[in-house]
């Protein structure tokens, strides 16, 4: 490589890191967190625009959202280690002394945004997470993407189309439908479908207009509560806190993929995360085993009064209530943000939605792949690919990883930990709001790479067992906590991309099923 080319490469890398830092600082400031902390405690490595192949700045999205979680955890750890010290900890000296340095590598962060793809259990590679019917189909006037990973969603689509359960039959049935009309029909039936739009078409949609100008995360005070000094830790807190979230109880009611990713991040920092799922929904073993690391898992049937009462008892003692179910489904059962704040003053309620809190799609079901299609990202990525290849044809192209899901999960964790920090400085009950479409808009706001630089990043590693060296070097083993009578298993999975100096990573176990633990706090 010539000296001129090397200087250009270094310059581009520095510009990319500067852009990541600006994104981090913008959201850090938006949540009202400590001035100057990011610059003093964050160390970024790698060129985020060269760690994955895309025209969008997927590497920047991964590194920025991951770093925000680490920074919030560092700040809370420093705050808790400073408890009882003389002076105002918010002024910074004691907190900065006790807050660990945060290191995040861009390539590692991107790989973790595909962590579910690389799991190995007892030496065997996990199967593909996608149902055979899920994906893109041509319609009479365009394209739609359907999501059928849950059996009831799959059957619902087949019922609407009145066809057999094969890709050929679905394709034939959809070829006679209009894209927007079928999208609406499926939405009305509670199914998961998105018509494929261009960026320009999405920008004209009322839902896009409802999201415009809003940050990808919002932190809303929902009630008054006294300042918190401890989280289930004895008086000698400074000596007993090993990790940022030690003693913190997280009640998680989520399914794939963003919500469980947020819960996994908090479990990794020491929280007691109790993951509650419904026995009416099927397990998704490949994703479940990856996102449940460090958690305990149990099930409740919320159509039964006794199980609702059990959940209410858990909620009265928890510090965090994390949920990603259909909008209003839990609120209808008495677990909305306002009710939870009255039930447990000082609580942090975190909610994930597909398309935000306002607009005609505020209650619409969504998954990462559908949001990519509906908001124009797939068309824009396809057009950029054609330009980069000097091709005269333009096709649709998904983003290389489920980056909206994973980034949303990181932002949820960031918001939750930031809100916990606020409970120690100003008190109150808080709600964290994140939407997949809001994350997609944040990705767009980061800009697209030009034809010269688009798709020039590293390829994602091959999925294989044994793992390729790059993945293996960043992975570790976990013991799978199996039901009695089942043979022991070992999960090998990617470690977190967040490194906090001198803070131990002691998560060692993974629940072997969604109902293998007691329904109680430790």
């Amino acid at each position: 490589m010539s000296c001129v080319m090397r200087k250009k490469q270094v310059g581009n890398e520095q510009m990319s890191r500067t852009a990541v830092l600006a994104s981090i600082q913008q959201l850090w400031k938006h949540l009202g967190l400590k001035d100057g902390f990011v610059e003093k405690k964050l160390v970024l490595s790698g060129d985020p625009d060269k760690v994955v192949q895309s025209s969008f700045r997927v590497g920047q999205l991964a590194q920025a959202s991951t770093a925000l979680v680490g920074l919030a955890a560092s700040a809370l750890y420093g705050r808790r280690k400073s408890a009882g010290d003389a002076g105002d900890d918010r002024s910074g000296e004691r907190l900065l002394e006790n807050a660990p340095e945060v290191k995040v590598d861009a390539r590692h962060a991107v790989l973790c945004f595909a962590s579910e793809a690389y799991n190995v259990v007892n030496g065997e590679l996990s199967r593909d997470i996608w149902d055979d019917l899920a994906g893109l189909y041509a319609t009479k006037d365009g394209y739609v993407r359907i999501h059928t990973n849950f059996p009831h969603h799959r059957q619902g689509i087949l019922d609407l189309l009145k066809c057999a359960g094969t890709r050929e039959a679905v394709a034939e049935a959809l070829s006679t439908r209009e894209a927007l009309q079928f999208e609406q029909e499926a939405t009305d039936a509670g199914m998961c479908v998105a018509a494929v739009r261009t960026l320009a078409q999405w920008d004209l949609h009322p839902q896009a207009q409802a999201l415009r100008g809003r940050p990808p995360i919002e932190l809303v005070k929902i009630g008054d509560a006294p300042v918190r000094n401890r989280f289930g830790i004895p008086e000698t807190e400074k000596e007993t806190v090993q990790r940022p979230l030690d003693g913190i109880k997280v009640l998680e009611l989520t399914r794939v993929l963003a919500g469980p990713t947020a819960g996994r991040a908090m479990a990794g920092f020491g929280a007691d995360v109790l993951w509650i799922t419904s026995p009416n929904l099927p397990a998704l073993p490949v994703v479940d085993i990856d996102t449940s690391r460090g958690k305990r898992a149990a099930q409740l049937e919320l159509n039964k009064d006794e199980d609702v009462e059990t959940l209410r008892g858990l909620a009265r003692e928890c510090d965090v209530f994390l949920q990603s179910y259909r909008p209003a489904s839990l609120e209808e059962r008495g677990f909305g943000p306002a009710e939870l704040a009255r039930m447990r003053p000082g609580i942090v309620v975190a909610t994930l939605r597909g398309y935000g809190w306002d607009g005609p799609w505020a209650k619409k079901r969504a998954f990462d792949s559908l949001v990519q299609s509906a908001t124009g990202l797939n068309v824009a990525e396809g057009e950029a690919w054609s330009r980069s290849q000097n091709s005269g044809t333009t096709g649709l192209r998904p983003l290389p990883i489920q980056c909206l899901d994973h980034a949303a999960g990181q932002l949820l964790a960031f918001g939750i930990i930031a809100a916990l920090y606020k409970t120690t400085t100003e008190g109150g009950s808080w709600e964290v709001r994140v939407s997949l479409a809001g994350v997609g808009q944040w990705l767009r706001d980061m800009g697209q790479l030009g034809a010269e630089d688009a798709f020039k990043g590293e390829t994602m590693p091959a999925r294989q067992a044994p793992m390729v060296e790059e993945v293996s070097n960043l992975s570790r083993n976990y013991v799978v906590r199996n039901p009695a009578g089942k043979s022991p298993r070992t999960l090998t999975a990617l470690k977190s991309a967040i490194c906090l100096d001198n803070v131990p990573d002691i998560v060692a176990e993974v629940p072997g099923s969604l109902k293998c633990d007691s329904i109680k706090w430790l």
Side-chain angles (χ1 to χ4, degrees), residues 12-22 44-48 60 63:
N12 289 342
E13 182 173 337
Q14 185 58 47
M15 287 176 62
S16 297
R17 286 193 201 165
T18 299
V20 170
L21 188 60
L44 299 173
S45 60
D47 182 347
Q60 289 193 25
Q63 191 173 36

Side-chain angles (χ1 to χ4, degrees), residues 205-224:
H205 195 282
Q207 193 60 40
Q209 294 167 16
L211 288 167
R212 190 163 298 134
R214 304 183 74 159
I217 179 172
E218 295 184 86
L219 186 54
V220 181
K221 191 172 184 179
I222 57 173
D224 294 325

Side-chain angles (χ1 to χ4, degrees), residues 21 24 37-44 67 71 102-104:
L21 188 60
I24 292 168
F37 188 85
V38 173
E39 298 85 342
K40 290 181 173 67
K41 291 297 176 179
L42 180 61
V43 178
L44 299 173
L71 286 163
V102 181
K103 298 175 183 175
V104 178

